[in-house]
Amino acid sequence: MTGTESMLDQRDPADGPREESPTLYEWVKRELVSAIARGEYVIGQPFITQKELCERFGVSTTTAVRALNDLVAEGILVRQRGRGTFVTERAATDRHRSTGADRSIAYVMHGPGPHLAGVINGIQSVCDELGYRMFLSDTKRSANRQEHALRQALDSGASGVILYPVEGSVASPALAELRRSNVPMVLVDRYDPQLPSDAVLADNFGVGYRLTEFLLQHGHRRIATLWDETDCTSVRERLTGHVQALRNHGVPVLPEFTLLTSYQQLADRPRRTMLESLLNRKDAPTVLLCANGFVLARVAHDLVDLGLEVPGEVELAGMDDAGPFNLLPLTIAAGVLPSEEMGRRAMRLIADRIDARDHDQPPGQHIVLPVDIRTRESAPGYLRVGRNPRPVPSDVG
């Protein structure tokens, strides 16, 4: 059986209430069938109750009832009046239902956007080809949610895990247990230098270097960088590439323009104060080099609120296109990530690891894919945004 199984709304119970997904009960069903196949529930012993199911998986009563009812209808469970619910004899011996027989991959993803969707498409294409199922979990950039998703992958008996890690190096008992259990894992986009691991990466140093070189060749010598996440290898390598290009072209590296601090994650007032302080300098930047499409979209919005035109009074460039929509027409240049190829290569790498698990090959293979650089001239049209600044009310004494 192949296909993508949605667990995008999976949450740590500590995250509080959630809206139910129409496929959440199917995931609960699969988890219960996997538990039966592993021998957690046997004939003659009461099955997990509705209340216990809600607590274990953090789902609503409606989802729990629907999952149990379906398992009864499928002959996996049987209800006995006055006694409770039990595993049927057929289900207890039907090992082909176990996740051990059905090869499955858990993809622990990093959030929404076209880039992440491209990675999913790449993974799915290889899953379809090789006969794997893919389960999705969205960490929403939360270390707690990542830990919960990795624990779910471990408990469900996933054949392997593809992980788009959250920012920072976080101690993870689930990750340590996955490694002890010899479950293959491939990281996407970033890696932990202290942890030997397979990874599929974009050429982050290269995109930082090449974009900066392009901007310098087009007369921009005052380039300010604006960031989103900061504590990850992809960002550090982009900054390193940017700085190296400046040095190789004899351009001074100004700390104020290369400060590795988050713009995207600031509240409105401090974020705009930060932007105004850059633009009000005597040596103000002529181009803002944004970490990704989300930062670029935020900066464009803030510039409009400040009454500036883009392009015109300042230019924008993006280190990648991982944003809410296509912003290339608004930029002088932008990097385009090989999203689908990253997914395909990650899935092929993990499939190779699964097939060679008994050969005890040490992890640590890094596949680095080139990033395409596209310029405004290649866009189907131009965008210009801007409006008059809003009047500032005078202070009332």
Side-chain angles (χ1 to χ4, degrees):
M1 177 179 178
T2 62
T4 304
E5 310 295 346
S6 175
M7 298 198 314
L8 294 179
D9 58 350
Q10 177 182 306
R11 294 172 62 91
D12 189 317
D15 290 342
R18 63 175 164 200
E19 296 181 359
E20 301 295 351
S21 162
T23 58
L24 183 58
Y25 85 97
E26 296 175 352
W27 167 67
V28 174
K29 281 175 56 182
R30 285 191 297 272
E31 294 297 303
L32 294 176
V33 169
S34 298
I36 293 170
R38 292 193 299 268
E40 293 182 21
Y41 304 104
V42 297
I43 297 173
Q45 293 182 358
F47 195 64
I48 184 173
T49 66
Q50 173 187 309
K51 179 180 178 181
E52 291 169 339
L53 193 153
C54 292
E55 293 175 350
R56 174 173 174 178
F57 295 102
V59 297
S60 70
T61 300
T62 301
T63 297
V65 169
R66 186 175 182 185
L68 292 172
N69 286 346
D70 274 19
L71 293 179
V72 171
E74 294 170 10
I76 298 172
L77 300 178
V78 62
R79 291 192 174 104
Q80 298 180 8
R81 186 182 298 273
R83 295 190 60 214
T85 303
F86 297 85
V87 176
T88 63
E89 183 175 354
R90 178 179 69 82
T93 57
D94 195 3
R95 292 299 179 182
H96 79 272
R97 292 182 180 270
S98 75
T99 54
D102 292 336
R103 298 195 296 179
S104 61
I105 295 297
Y107 175 39
V108 182
M109 58 186 285
H110 190 254
H115 167 57
L116 277 301
V119 175
I120 291 173
N121 290 339
I123 296 172
Q124 184 62 61
S125 67
V126 179
C127 283
D128 291 344
E129 177 186 338
L130 302 180
Y132 281 88
R133 293 185 301 163
M134 177 171 61
F135 298 92
L136 301 178
S137 300
D138 186 355
T139 65
K140 302 185 187 298
R141 300 189 176 192
S142 163
N144 287 337
R145 292 179 66 92
Q146 176 174 289
E147 180 69 11
H148 184 63
L150 292 174
R151 176 62 57 185
Q152 290 286 351
L154 184 66
D155 292 344
S156 65
S159 304
V161 175
I162 299 175
L163 172 64
Y164 199 124
V166 299
E167 182 180 15
S169 181
V170 181
S172 169
L175 180 58
E177 189 169 344
L178 282 165
R179 295 178 69 84
R180 286 195 301 269
S181 301
N182 201 28
V183 177
M185 175 176 291
V186 174
L187 306 185
V188 176
D189 181 75
R190 54 191 66 171
Y191 59 94
D192 186 341
Q194 307 301 319
L195 183 67
S197 58
D198 294 323
V200 176
L201 313 164
D203 183 5
N204 291 298
F205 176 91
V207 73
Y209 189 99
R210 291 169 57 208
L211 265 175
T212 302
E213 189 170 54
F214 175 87
L215 296 174
L216 292 171
Q217 290 169 350
H218 283 72
H220 295 283
R221 298 182 66 82
R222 299 193 302 277
I223 306 168
T225 57
L226 297 173
W227 305 96
D228 184 358
E229 295 177 305
T230 58
D231 189 10
C232 52
T233 53
S234 56
V235 169
R236 296 193 199 101
E237 290 171 359
R238 289 180 183 187
L239 177 58
T240 301
H242 168 68
V243 170
Q244 189 63 51
L246 293 176
R247 289 173 174 163
N248 287 355
H249 288 78
V251 177
V253 179
L254 301 179
E256 299 87 347
F257 288 178
T258 55
L259 183 64
L260 190 55
T261 188
S262 180
Y263 179 86
Q264 179 75 2
Q265 299 175 31
L266 291 174
D268 287 351
R269 179 170 295 181
R271 191 181 68 244
R272 289 173 185 168
T273 298
M274 176 181 175
L275 183 59
E276 284 185 289
S277 67
L278 280 173
L279 299 177
N280 289 335
R281 294 169 57 101
K282 291 183 178 179
D283 59 344
T286 58
V287 61
L288 302 174
L289 180 54
C290 303
N292 55 42
F294 289 102
V295 176
L296 199 148
R298 177 79 71 183
V299 172
H301 182 273
D302 290 344
L303 288 172
V304 170
D305 278 354
L306 293 174
L308 299 176
E309 283 193 349
V310 182
E313 295 173 85
V314 66
E315 290 276 12
L316 294 176
M319 292 191 183
D320 70 40
D321 58 338
F325 45 81
N326 181 16
L327 290 168
L328 180 60
L330 192 59
T331 65
I332 184 173
V336 179
L337 294 172
S339 306
E340 291 199 19
E341 184 63 14
M342 291 174 76
R344 285 191 290 267
R345 297 293 290 272
M347 184 60 216
R348 291 199 180 280
L349 179 54
I350 204 165
D352 290 343
R353 287 297 191 186
I354 291 170
D355 292 341
R357 186 181 303 191
D358 294 335
H359 294 77
D360 194 30
Q361 297 181 6
Q365 180 179 354
H366 285 190
I367 298 173
V368 180
L369 302 176
V371 178
D372 190 18
I373 303 294
R374 296 184 185 173
T375 65
R376 183 181 292 137
E377 285 70 25
S378 67
Y382 291 81
L383 284 180
R384 181 181 295 274
V385 296
R387 61 184 174 87
N388 292 328
R390 291 175 292 186
V392 179
S394 60
D395 293 335
V396 178

